[in-house]
Amino acid sequence: MKNRVTDILGIEKPIIQAPMFWLTNAALVSAVSEAGGLGILGPNAGQKTVTASPEETAEGMRREIQKVKAATQKPFGVNIIVSDNYDTDIFTPPMLKVITEEHVPAVSYVGKANKEIFDLLKAHGIKIIFRDLEPSAESAQTAELYGADIIVATGFDEGGTLPSKVLGTFSIVPLLADSVSVPVLAAGGITDSRTVKAAMALGAEGVYCGSVFIASQESQAAENVKEAIVAAEADELLLFRTVPAYYRSLPGELAHRLLAMDKAGKSEEEINSLMKGTSNMRVGMLNGDMDQGYVSVGTGISLIHEIRPAKEIVAALLADG
């Protein structure tokens, strides 16, 4: 299936695998790219332990990039999460250095559009897939003006850090598609060919999928987490407020405590303190401790019925497409 997304990224199918923090690695990313989509390495791709060192984090990414290059000749991407206060952002500069030195074909850029960074990426021929955590027509238009090649329209159906506006994927997609001239990807709740077709009908030219690839054979997620995703339904998910807005999780001891704190009127900061930001997501999803950690997924999990190779997932998303 060829369109503007495949032409821009040099891929065969407009299926983009979301970076997902700890859960990606070279095996998953290269498998998605080999299948014709675009695999993307997350910030801690291939890693098992926590480091507070920006340089060590960046060099870990370099090693994983080189593993991807050894496994596939096809395009892939790397995720960068840019702080609103870029002047004090200690992680992004060394990551950008690695990305440019390793000639990474594409970047999944998360945060507010920064023209300085966009100019740097464009100067190195790197394609920019822009995703604002608080998507809006205005931010999409700014990103397009600065040089974004593709815009991600992220709906409240997603896993991970949820937007503060409770606007579903199938509302935000046409809103952004009608506001920019560059192609738009739908993100949030996209887990089978029906949801892909629906997204395309609303103006998306591709999809940006996370949860469905957590349940892939190549994903770094713990096996019990993959099995729990396959067994779960969307209406079992627990939604609670936290910094910066909302998170949702499969049921577990910690998730129930976080929900109870929300219902008791505790502040987002207090809830986030117990949640420990994304640290306890690593405990839940990478280590498989679903009581001491949490398992963040999107509402499309009801459509995930088995643990499959990434190649089969890519093919299934475009079945009859």
Side-chain angles (χ1 to χ4, degrees):
M1 179 180 182
K2 292 293 185 180
N3 62 16
R4 290 195 296 169
V5 167
T6 60
D7 289 345
I8 289 168
L9 297 175
I11 59 179
E12 300 161 25
K13 301 171 183 177
I15 306 295
I16 315 304
Q17 163 250 306
M20 301 181 292
F21 291 99
W22 295 88
L23 305 181
T24 56
N25 56 14
L28 173 59
V29 168
S30 60
V32 172
S33 291
E34 276 292 298
L38 186 82
I40 301 178
L41 293 167
N44 303 104
Q47 307 305 307
K48 300 288 188 178
T49 56
V50 179
T51 175
S53 165
E55 290 73 23
E56 189 176 339
T57 300
E59 288 307 311
M61 179 61 74
R62 188 191 301 276
R63 291 191 295 272
E64 213 64 21
I65 289 169
Q66 292 172 350
K67 290 178 186 177
V68 174
K69 288 180 177 178
T72 183
Q73 299 300 308
K74 295 187 176 181
F76 66 98
V78 170
N79 180 221
I80 56 171
I81 303 174
V82 181
S83 167
D84 290 348
N85 299 312
Y86 181 57
D87 290 343
T88 59
D89 185 342
I90 60 173
F91 280 91
T92 300
M95 193 67 75
L96 287 170
K97 182 174 184 290
V98 167
I99 288 168
T100 54
E101 288 177 350
E102 294 293 333
H103 307 289
V104 172
V107 157
S108 171
Y109 179 113
V110 176
K112 300 300 180 185
N114 180 301
K115 191 172 188 306
E116 177 185 347
I117 298 176
F118 274 39
D119 287 347
L120 172 67
L121 294 170
K122 301 298 281 188
H124 285 83
I126 298 170
K127 301 301 182 183
I128 302 171
I129 302 168
F130 173 78
R131 187 169 87 90
D132 192 339
L133 292 175
E134 295 285 354
S136 68
E138 182 181 6
S139 70
Q141 290 164 352
T142 299
E144 179 181 22
L145 179 66
Y146 288 175
D149 297 283
I150 298 169
I151 305 291
V152 181
T154 304
F156 200 73
D157 310 76
E158 70 161 332
T161 304
L162 303 180
S164 61
K165 291 182 180 178
V166 186
L167 196 62
T169 301
F170 293 148
S171 296
I172 194 68
V173 166
L175 173 64
L176 295 198
D178 289 349
S179 70
V180 295
S181 60
V182 296
V184 165
L185 302 175
I190 312 294
T191 49
D192 73 348
S193 62
R194 291 175 295 173
T195 45
V196 171
K197 289 172 187 173
M200 299 292 200
L202 290 168
E205 294 183 50
V207 291
Y208 185 94
C209 304
S211 297
V212 69
F213 285 110
I214 298 174
S216 68
Q217 290 180 357
E218 295 88 349
S219 162
Q220 283 205 138
E223 285 303 309
N224 65 309
V225 169
K226 297 179 187 182
E227 292 165 1
I229 290 171
V230 169
E233 299 289 351
D235 58 6
E236 298 173 39
L237 294 171
L238 307 181
L239 177 69
F240 48 88
R241 294 175 306 112
T242 185
V243 176
Y246 299 94
Y247 251 79
R248 64 167 61 90
S249 173
L250 286 175
E253 181 181 325
L254 176 61
H256 277 291
R257 290 176 64 193
L258 294 167
L259 179 61
M261 289 179 71
D262 186 4
K263 288 183 175 180
K266 300 297 184 182
S267 71
E268 286 89 344
E269 289 74 18
E270 289 176 288
I271 297 170
N272 187 60
S273 178
L274 177 62
M275 184 179 168
K276 295 183 180 177
T278 59
S279 295
N280 274 335
M281 181 164 61
R282 179 184 64 83
V283 171
M285 303 188 77
L286 188 64
N287 298 349
D289 188 338
M290 296 174 60
D291 284 326
Q292 298 304 309
Y294 61 92
V295 176
S296 177
V297 290
T299 59
I301 60 165
S302 298
L303 308 176
I304 301 172
H305 303 301
E306 59 182 320
I307 300 167
R308 297 174 290 176
K311 179 180 179 179
E312 290 185 14
I313 293 172
V314 172
L317 287 169
L318 285 180
D320 302 319

